[in-house]
Amino acid sequence: TVVIASNEPQYGLPGGRKFTGEYYDKKNLNPNELVYVDNNIEKIDFDWGLLGPGCFPIHKIDNFSVRWTGEFVPETSGTYTFTTETDDGVKLYIYGKKNNSNNGNGADNDNDKNNKGNDSNNETEVIAKINDWGDHELSTNSVSVDLEVGKTYKIVMEYYDSYGVAQAKLYWTVDSMESVIARVMEKYEESVKRPSLAITYSPVEYT
């Protein structure tokens, strides 16, 4: 088991899993405009600037979209906070088994029909989401949700760039009993490493 302190943002998926990225020619994720698929993405941490992804047949710097999907299997139970940083629009969906508690920005009714899946023959639903689908400069959004160790949760992040600078990032932190213990132990180890105040005594000789 890997213990992760909650104040350390983590990119990528636990256990070395990879994201699949689907790149679309326009900004509306139209299946007919899918031009490139990458099944080996370690993390969503892209800062393309004004250059664009560079994976299109004809180099494209604006008006494109991407959908990343991956399986998130927590290595510890706790409250996970997922954060996106994007320029422009973003949607993030966390899927879990039905009846899981919702936190932060939970699923809305408008997503019930389109955002369902199947996890080991059990229906899943959106248990947390971010929706900031619009043109804007670099913006940060976060959502928190309770996840259980060893269970599989599906993550879907959708992104588009309209024009200008293109940037997309996803990272997460976790608050759990293990992370609290890790922080306490870290502080303890720091304290015992500090040099103690040395007091020396020299006898005075009288003549």
Side-chain angles (χ1 to χ4, degrees):
T1 301
V2 178
V3 177
I4 300 171
S6 64
N7 60 346
E8 297 179 0
Q10 304 292 316
Y11 290 80
L13 298 167
R17 293 173 177 81
K18 304 295 178 64
F19 287 100
T20 293
E22 301 171 343
Y23 293 76
Y24 298 83
D25 187 51
K26 298 293 191 297
K27 63 181 185 179
N28 57 359
L29 298 163
N30 188 329
N32 296 323
E33 296 170 341
L34 176 65
V35 295
Y36 180 72
V37 177
D38 187 348
N39 295 309
N40 196 37
I41 299 175
E42 293 185 359
K43 57 185 178 180
I44 303 174
D45 184 15
F46 299 102
D47 188 355
W48 293 297
L50 298 173
L51 300 178
C55 62
F56 295 96
I58 299 176
H59 188 61
K60 193 174 185 66
I61 61 175
D62 292 317
N63 192 27
F64 66 89
S65 54
V66 189
R67 177 184 288 114
W68 294 282
T69 60
E71 291 186 341
F72 193 96
V73 183
E75 296 176 334
T76 181
S77 296
T79 301
Y80 285 74
T81 299
F82 294 87
T83 300
T84 61
E85 294 182 6
T86 62
D87 180 346
D88 291 288
V90 64
K91 292 181 181 180
L92 179 71
Y93 302 101
I94 311 295
Y95 294 83
K97 290 182 180 179
K98 282 188 173 182
N99 299 324
N100 282 9
S101 60
N102 293 336
N103 292 297
N105 299 323
D108 290 340
N109 291 333
D110 61 350
N111 290 301
D112 287 347
K113 293 182 180 180
N114 297 324
N115 294 315
K116 289 186 177 180
N118 190 285
D119 181 14
S120 301
N121 297 321
N122 293 307
E123 281 195 357
T124 61
E125 64 181 356
V126 177
I127 58 174
K129 77 167 190 173
I130 291 171
N131 188 348
D132 190 11
W133 198 253
D135 292 4
H136 53 70
E137 296 181 351
L138 183 62
S139 297
T140 300
N141 296 277
S142 296
V143 63
S144 297
V145 62
D146 292 336
L147 304 181
E148 296 182 38
V149 61
K151 291 191 174 182
T152 300
Y153 301 86
K154 181 180 177 182
I155 291 184
V156 179
M157 178 172 168
E158 297 177 345
Y159 163 81
Y160 82 85
D161 175 63
S162 184
Y163 61 89
V165 173
Q167 183 171 329
K169 297 186 179 185
L170 171 66
Y171 54 88
W172 54 273
T173 59
V174 57
D175 273 320
S176 65
M177 182 60 68
E178 289 89 346
S179 64
V180 171
I181 294 173
R183 292 198 302 274
V184 171
M185 291 302 297
E186 182 179 358
K187 290 182 179 180
Y188 172 76
E189 290 174 358
E190 290 178 355
S191 66
V192 298
K193 290 179 182 178
R194 293 173 183 169
S196 57
L197 179 62
I199 301 177
T200 59
Y201 171 76
S202 299
V204 178
E205 295 183 0
Y206 294 92
T207 58

